[in-house]
Amino acid sequence: MLGSFGSSSREEEDHPTPTPTPTPTPSDAHLFPQHQQIPPQGFTSPAIHMRQLLISCAELISGSDLAAAHRLITILSANSSPFGDSTERLVHQFTKSLSLRLSRYTATATTAARASSSAVNVPDSESDEAVVQSSYLTLNQVTPFIRFSHLTANQAILEAIDGQAAIHILDFDIMHGVQWPPLMQAIAERFPLPSLRITGTGQDLEMLRRTGDRLAKFAHSLGLRFQFHPLLLFNTDDPTSVAAAVLLLPDETLAVNCVLYLHRLLKDRDKLRLFLQRIKAMNPRVVTVAEKEANHNHPLFMNRFIEAVDHYTALFDSLEATLPPNSRERLVVERVWFGREIEDIVAAEGDRRRQRHERFRSWEVMLRSSGFNNVALSPFALSQAKLLLRLHYPSEGYQLHTLNDSFFLGWQNQLLFSVSSWR
C-alpha cells in the first residue's frame, strides 16, 4: 500500500452541479508550481505524496473546482507513466480516469470523452473485444486471484457433489471456461463415473459456443459424459429469466457458480435479492461466490475513489513484486483490464457504472437474508490454495486468511478477494 489516508472532509454526491470556475487562491498555489514538477516533500514518501495529490484532484473535481483540477491533472500526467514503477503506473491510470470524469463538466471535451470511454469500456469491434478477452487470459496467468477463486470454488463443488451420479453446474458469465478443466479432470477420476452438464451464461453466443466446444473436446479426451448448454443473458437485471431459461432435470445435482459476477447486479438491490431467491428456489447443493474485497459501490464519489486507490495500489504493487520490470504481460493487464475497471469506478456514473464491488460482510448479509447458510470451506481447500501460492506465486507478499468459514486473499495487509460457499 502507498499509505493510509483518512476519510475526506467533503461528502459530495455523484453528480455535483458545475459552478463558475473560481480563480485559484494562494491557499492552493502549492499544488501548481510553475515548473510543473512535484516538489520535494521532506520525509513524505513519493508514493504517499502522489496518493495525496490524486485524492486532492478528485476532491477538486467533486467540488466543481474545474480549473484547479485541470492544472493538477496536468502535473499528475507529467509525473506518471505506464512504463514506470508501480506508483507511476497507478497514478497514470487514475489520472486518465480523473481526466475523463473532469471532461463530463467541460463541454469542449464531451465528444472526445465519449469516444475514449467507448473505446475502453464498451468494445465496438471484434478486435477491441479480442484485446479485452486476451487481457483476461493474461490476468489469469500472471496473478493468483482468479486461479485462487476458481480452485477454491471447484473444491467446494467437488465436496458438495461427492457420490452423485449426475452433476449440473450453472456458471454465470463462463467466459472462456478456464475454471472447469481441473474440475472435469477430478470428476473423471471418480468411480462410478458421473455425468456432467454445464450451463454457461454470457452475452456473446459465439464465445459461448467456442467455450462449449473446447470443454466438450476436453471431456471426450477424459472419457467423461458431458453436455454444454449456452445461455444468453442480455438483461442480467431480470432474475426471473434465469429460472425460466435453465433446464433442470430431476436426477441431477445442481451447483451454482458466481465467480466475480454478483456485483454486476448491485445497482438494484431488490432485483439482486430476487435473483438470489430464485437461485435458492432451484435447490442447489452448493453456491460458490467470489468477489473483490472492496467497497466500490459507495454512494459518495470520494469514498469510492479512496477505496479504489487503496485496492489497486495493492494490485499494482503485487505485479511489481512478481513480474520483471519490462513485462509485456503486466502492461497489458494494467492498461486493458485494471485500466478499464479503474475508469469505470472513477469516471462512469449511474447505470453505466458496472464495477460495484462490496465487501464480504455485505454479501454475507444479502445471502443470509435470501435463505442461504454459509458452508465452511474445507482444510483441504485451504491447503490447495496455499500450495497454489507457494508453487506459482512464491512471494511473501501474498497473504491467505480464513474468516467466517471463508477465504480471503490479499497483498501485504490489504485484503483483495474473497471466496465463500453457500447452501
Side-chain angles (χ1 to χ4, degrees):
M1 293 179 60
L2 293 178
S4 60
F5 188 83
S7 298
S8 168
S9 60
R10 294 179 183 265
E11 297 243 327
E12 304 294 342
E13 299 297 334
D14 283 348
H15 305 282
T17 301
T19 58
T21 302
T23 302
T25 64
S27 62
D28 61 23
H30 69 285
L31 294 178
F32 315 113
Q34 292 184 354
H35 51 70
Q36 300 289 297
Q37 293 295 318
I38 301 299
Q41 295 297 310
F43 294 104
T44 303
S45 73
I48 293 176
H49 181 53
M50 295 300 289
R51 180 181 188 277
Q52 291 169 342
L53 290 181
L54 281 176
I55 293 172
S56 295
C57 184
E59 287 179 324
L60 290 171
I61 296 174
S62 189
S64 297
D65 195 343
L66 307 186
H70 179 74
R71 288 191 292 273
L72 188 47
I73 282 175
T74 301
I75 296 171
L76 288 165
S77 297
N79 289 273
S80 63
S81 166
F83 308 103
D85 61 22
S86 62
T87 298
E88 292 171 322
R89 300 195 309 272
L90 178 86
V91 172
H92 173 78
Q93 296 297 339
F94 272 91
T95 301
K96 285 202 312 180
S97 298
L98 285 170
S99 180
L100 281 173
R101 185 175 182 89
L102 176 63
S103 70
R104 292 171 54 217
Y105 310 115
T106 307
T108 57
T110 300
T111 302
R114 287 176 179 171
S116 176
S117 179
S118 174
V120 177
N121 279 326
V122 185
D124 55 6
S125 71
E126 291 185 5
S127 60
D128 290 337
E129 183 62 33
V131 170
V132 172
Q133 296 305 323
S134 175
S135 71
Y136 172 81
L137 295 175
T138 303
L139 175 71
N140 183 55
Q141 293 170 357
V142 302
T143 72
F145 304 111
I146 294 178
R147 294 177 72 178
F148 157 75
S149 301
H150 288 171
L151 181 71
T152 305
N154 282 355
Q155 186 59 34
I157 293 171
L158 281 171
E159 293 170 7
I161 53 108
D162 188 33
Q164 303 301 306
I167 303 157
H168 181 192
I169 295 174
L170 172 57
D171 184 18
F172 284 95
D173 197 22
I174 191 170
M175 297 186 71
H176 298 277
V178 295
Q179 177 172 350
W180 302 119
L183 180 133
M184 295 165 70
Q185 204 158 13
I187 290 176
E189 296 172 356
R190 296 191 169 184
F191 183 83
L193 186 66
S195 64
L196 174 64
R197 186 160 65 96
I198 294 180
T199 297
T201 78
Q203 297 185 349
D204 184 330
L205 183 58
E206 185 58 33
M207 179 186 292
L208 287 173
R209 287 173 174 167
R210 290 197 299 267
T211 296
D213 289 343
R214 284 194 300 270
L215 293 177
K217 290 178 181 177
F218 186 71
H220 179 74
S221 71
L222 299 173
L224 182 64
R225 290 174 293 164
F226 176 79
Q227 290 183 350
F228 180 83
H229 292 279
L231 177 58
L232 277 176
L233 291 182
F234 290 110
N235 183 7
T236 56
D237 292 334
D238 182 6
T240 59
S241 66
V242 178
V246 176
L247 175 64
L248 299 176
L249 300 179
D251 62 331
E252 290 181 331
T253 299
L254 177 66
V256 178
N257 188 65
C258 299
V259 170
L260 304 179
Y261 175 78
L262 290 179
H263 68 273
R264 301 182 189 180
L265 310 181
L266 272 171
K267 62 183 175 183
D268 190 325
R269 289 181 180 274
D270 291 335
K271 289 185 177 181
L272 172 57
R273 288 191 178 92
L274 182 55
F275 172 86
L276 293 173
Q277 290 166 6
R278 296 292 186 183
I279 295 298
K280 179 65 177 176
M282 293 180 176
N283 195 30
R285 182 65 63 94
V286 64
V287 176
T288 48
V289 175
E291 286 292 339
K292 288 193 175 187
E293 185 62 8
N295 185 4
H296 298 148
N297 197 37
H298 198 283
L300 299 177
F301 167 68
M302 283 308 305
N303 294 68
R304 291 202 311 267
F305 185 82
I306 293 172
E307 278 271 332
V309 170
D310 287 342
H311 181 83
Y312 287 97
T313 291
L315 285 174
F316 275 55
D317 283 350
S318 71
L319 291 176
E320 176 87 349
T322 54
L323 291 173
N326 59 347
S327 170
R328 180 182 178 276
E329 290 78 10
R330 184 187 65 193
L331 180 64
V332 168
V333 167
E334 291 176 345
R335 180 180 61 85
V336 179
W337 195 263
F338 292 155
R340 291 170 71 248
E341 292 181 346
I342 292 169
E343 181 181 314
D344 184 86
I345 294 168
V346 174
E349 289 299 346
D351 291 341
R352 294 182 178 180
R353 185 160 55 85
R354 300 183 63 197
Q355 303 298 327
R356 298 175 177 271
H357 312 109
E358 294 194 5
R359 296 185 184 279
F360 174 79
R361 59 177 177 264
S362 296
W363 294 115
E364 187 177 31
V365 170
M366 281 185 278
L367 285 158
R368 291 190 186 281
S369 67
S370 301
F372 289 96
N373 292 312
N374 195 196
V375 178
L377 295 169
S378 70
F380 184 72
L382 181 61
S383 66
Q384 276 197 140
K386 289 180 177 178
L387 184 63
L388 170 72
L389 295 177
R390 187 165 64 249
L391 292 181
H392 299 285
Y393 309 94
S395 172
E396 296 179 357
Y398 290 112
Q399 303 292 325
L400 187 60
H401 301 272
T402 303
L403 180 65
N404 293 347
D405 295 323
S406 305
F407 294 169
F408 296 79
L409 180 59
W411 176 258
Q412 304 293 1
N413 60 340
Q414 179 83 21
L415 298 180
L416 296 172
F417 287 81
S418 69
V419 182
S420 54
S421 176
W422 302 83
R423 184 173 181 183

